[in-house]
Amino acid sequence: MNHYASVTIELISGLVILFMITKILGKTQFSQITPFDFISALVLGELVGNAIYDHNTKLREIIFAAIIWGLLIYLIEFITQKFTKARRILEGETSIVINKGKINYHVLKKSRMDINQLQSLIRQQGYFSIKEVEYAILETNGLVSVLPKAEFETPKAGDFGLPLKPVHLTLTLILDGEIVYNNLKKYGLEEKWLIDELAKQGISDYKNVLYAEWKENEDVYAIEYEHKTS
């Protein structure tokens, strides 16, 4: 009877510990599973699970191991929030697998994805033909975001005989107070242009910007840090 009572206590303790660690780490552990999140969740679950069914392991050892692992995950999450380079290494980067209606085979191959997988992910977004897609972006969590061609938008412009407008991809220009120079370079934009665009909105320093995006023929959309806004 003591053995069953011990297992019960360990199971309840493991559940409480996992719940507390998950709450501390934030909701992204549920909504967006990156490769690192998947590994950390898997290891943490195995760590507690094996400890519970190992009769030689004491409750205090389970708690200690779970807390240490939770602290390591929290530390790495903190680093990814502060340093964008570390974020790219640990969480990965988005990839444009369809660009202006054409499949980027090099990016597809680099992402270890075949055409069938791409078709499946696109269908999950409600588009059943690649010809309907103007842009498709492979996200860090393995899902694909789709920007359809103008004639296949909802409601479809082609159904009403309306003139079609060109589709442009939205570019991220500033992320966490840092300029995304690769995106500027792709479209032949310069840092001075971006700074001038921000100045038009009363923003004197791009480091005060949490996020900024731009779409061709539109103004730059910028969001400042809340604690830095006047």
Side-chain angles (χ1 to χ4, degrees), residues 119 122-129 132-133 146 148 152 154:
Q119 288 176 311
I122 288 175
R123 284 195 295 270
Q124 291 176 36
Q125 300 301 316
Y127 300 94
F128 287 80
S129 174
E132 299 179 7
V133 179
V146 174
F152 296 106
T154 305

Side-chain angles (χ1 to χ4, degrees), residues 1-206:
M1 193 66 181
N2 291 334
H3 169 66
Y4 292 108
S6 176
V7 171
T8 301
I9 293 172
E10 289 175 346
L11 281 171
I12 295 173
S13 300
L15 175 63
V16 171
I17 293 167
L18 288 174
F19 178 76
M20 290 177 62
I21 290 175
T22 304
K23 292 290 286 184
I24 292 172
L25 294 178
K27 295 181 180 179
T28 55
Q29 295 290 320
F30 298 101
S31 61
Q32 184 176 6
I33 302 296
T34 64
F36 175 74
D37 293 331
F38 175 76
I39 293 171
S40 63
L42 186 64
V43 172
L44 187 59
E46 285 294 315
L47 182 68
V48 176
N50 291 336
I52 289 173
Y53 293 103
D54 186 352
H55 305 313
N56 296 322
T57 304
K58 305 299 182 184
L59 179 60
R60 61 178 178 273
E61 294 173 339
I62 299 174
I63 296 174
F64 176 78
I67 290 175
I68 292 297
W69 184 251
L71 288 173
L72 288 173
I73 298 174
Y74 181 83
L75 176 62
I76 293 174
E77 292 287 349
F78 176 80
I79 291 173
T80 58
Q81 290 177 10
K82 292 294 182 181
F83 305 101
T84 54
K85 290 184 179 179
R87 188 182 309 168
R88 287 195 292 268
I89 294 172
L90 294 171
E91 297 183 354
E93 294 182 284
T94 58
S95 303
I96 301 176
V97 290
I98 296 181
N99 187 13
K100 295 182 179 179
K102 296 182 179 180
I103 296 176
N104 194 329
Y105 182 73
H106 175 72
V107 174
L108 203 65
K109 186 177 180 181
K110 186 178 179 181
S111 302
R112 303 291 190 274
M113 179 182 291
D114 57 41
I115 298 296
N116 290 338
Q117 291 173 318
L118 178 61
Q119 288 176 311
S120 175
L121 291 169
I122 288 175
R123 284 195 295 270
Q124 291 176 36
Q125 300 301 316
Y127 300 94
F128 287 80
S129 174
I130 290 179
K131 72 177 182 180
E132 299 179 7
V133 179
E134 185 74 5
Y135 293 97
I137 300 175
L138 179 62
E139 306 290 354
T140 56
N141 60 358
L143 298 178
V144 167
S145 299
V146 174
L147 181 62
K149 294 178 180 178
E151 62 266 34
F152 296 106
E153 288 184 327
T154 305
K156 298 176 182 179
D159 294 340
F160 300 97
L162 299 174
L164 303 180
K165 297 180 180 180
V167 176
H168 301 291
L169 187 65
T170 300
L171 284 181
T172 300
L173 299 181
I174 298 178
L175 194 60
D176 290 338
E178 295 185 14
I179 296 176
V180 184
Y181 288 100
N182 286 339
N183 286 347
L184 282 176
K185 186 178 179 181
K186 284 179 183 177
Y187 278 72
L189 304 174
E190 297 181 353
E191 181 179 336
K192 184 180 183 304
W193 169 84
L194 176 58
I195 292 174
D196 290 341
E197 289 295 311
L198 294 175
K200 293 177 183 178
Q201 303 180 37
I203 302 173
S204 58
D205 189 350
Y206 68 82

